[in-house]
Amino acid sequence: GIDTVYHAAAYKHVPLVEQNAVEGLRNNVFGTRTLLDAALGAGVRSFILVSTDKAVRPTNVMGASKRLAELVCQSAAGRAPGTRIAIVRFGNVLGSSGSVIPLFRRQIRNGGPVTVTHPEVTRYFMTIPEAAQLVIQAGAMAEDASVFLLDMGEPVRIVDLAMRMVRLAGLRPVLASAPEAAAPPARGEVRIEFTALRPGEKLYEELLISAENTPTAHPKIMKAAEPAMRWRDLADSLDALEAACSREDSAGITAILAGLPLGYAPDGLPRRAAPASLGASAASG
């Protein structure tokens, strides 16, 4: 009796999944495969995978697992003609679990410091109601395992966001690199400190892998032409990955992920060639 499945469940914390790759892959990849198979078997009308901008040219296991979950959905096109499949990819949602906004608010309330990983790190942001509405609308356009991108505007520098929040609280932000930061914070000041990028974290995120995207009937939803795999080829790789996870073979897991068309390139591993992307992702420069 279920018409639509919105699959948003995933382990999304980049450093935790980096340290627990086996569990991250089991949940994000094989959990998606299990749910999708159940949906196809039950004749569910629409299956929508909620993905992430971290799936684009990932430098971490979390992003690679989400891109692989996208491939699982893409490869299912045509296996059950009665089920429409869609993938909706977007960035961070303001105020959601794990968002920097509640963290910054707590740090400001405690008098600081406010911690930012890097002075140049940028992220895309969207509000909860906007994200939910656009996911539902994109899902209604589902056909042939389409990949949809939500227009998130320009990326935001996280340090600018932190400084803005400090000022909105009626206080004065002081960067840790500023000369006045050598002295203890004066009354009404909140220090902003840089803690370094965490394992697997990128300075900026992208929304496109390929250079091709087309508009849809909705001005804030685009359709991407992303590379896919045949189910038979992907199934063999998934079997090998599942076996490596059972052995807790970290090197084997990395090799399998690097051999798939995910664009996965952790530190020290050369990236597989992929088409250049378009859009505001170049704003990192």
Side-chain angles (χ1 to χ4, degrees):
I2 296 172
D3 289 322
T4 304
V5 171
Y6 293 96
H7 179 34
Y11 290 142
K12 302 185 184 76
H13 193 286
V14 169
L16 284 180
V17 175
E18 201 70 10
Q19 295 161 14
N20 299 275
V22 169
E23 288 306 315
L25 291 165
R26 281 175 176 160
N27 191 59
N28 296 358
V29 177
F30 300 111
T32 298
R33 183 183 64 179
T34 299
L35 183 58
L36 179 60
D37 286 346
L40 296 178
V44 169
R45 187 176 62 190
S46 299
F47 184 95
I48 295 93
L49 172 68
V50 176
S51 192
T52 169
D53 54 1
K54 292 177 176 62
V56 179
R57 281 182 272 277
T59 57
N60 50 69
V61 175
M62 194 284 279
S65 72
K66 291 296 285 182
R67 177 58 187 143
L68 188 47
E70 291 183 357
L71 284 176
V72 168
C73 292
Q74 288 176 286
S75 70
R79 282 170 54 199
T83 302
R84 298 183 304 172
I85 300 171
I87 298 148
V88 186
R89 189 189 290 161
F90 57 97
N92 299 278
V93 178
L94 289 167
S96 64
S97 175
S99 168
V100 295
I101 302 294
L103 172 63
F104 286 172
R105 194 174 289 130
R106 285 196 304 272
Q107 291 176 332
I108 293 168
R109 189 166 55 241
N110 293 334
V114 174
T115 54
V116 178
T117 56
H118 190 282
E120 297 302 322
V121 70
T122 65
R123 293 292 182 266
Y124 290 99
F125 286 100
M126 182 175 280
T127 65
I128 292 173
E130 188 178 22
Q133 290 166 16
L134 289 176
V135 166
I136 291 170
Q137 292 179 37
M141 303 175 188
E143 56 180 19
D144 300 327
S146 307
V147 179
F148 293 102
L149 316 174
L150 304 187
D151 180 2
M152 305 198 69
E154 294 296 318
V156 176
R157 243 184 16 143
I158 300 301
V159 67
D160 294 339
L161 175 63
M163 294 177 75
R164 196 174 308 147
M165 288 185 64
V166 171
R167 292 191 184 103
L168 287 171
L171 302 168
R172 177 174 173 263
V174 177
L175 294 176
S177 56
E180 59 265 42
R187 185 178 179 83
E189 288 184 345
V190 173
R191 184 166 297 170
I192 296 176
E193 295 182 352
F194 300 108
T195 58
L197 291 173
R198 298 173 298 179
E201 200 169 33
K202 296 167 74 172
L203 272 180
Y204 63 96
E205 304 293 352
E206 307 169 83
L207 287 169
L208 274 173
I209 298 173
S210 72
E212 298 179 26
N213 66 294
T214 55
T216 67
H218 195 289
K220 299 207 74 175
I221 301 174
M222 296 177 294
K223 186 176 178 181
E226 301 288 41
M229 292 181 70
R230 293 184 306 173
W231 172 248
R232 186 185 307 163
D233 297 333
L234 181 59
D236 291 342
S237 295
L238 290 176
D239 288 344
L241 184 61
E242 196 165 25
C245 286
S246 296
R247 298 190 305 269
E248 298 193 359
D249 178 4
S250 297
I253 289 169
T254 300
I256 293 167
L257 291 177
L260 286 163
L262 309 176
Y264 175 56
D267 292 341
L269 193 70
R271 186 182 298 283
R272 283 185 57 146
S277 72
L278 293 176
S281 58
S284 64

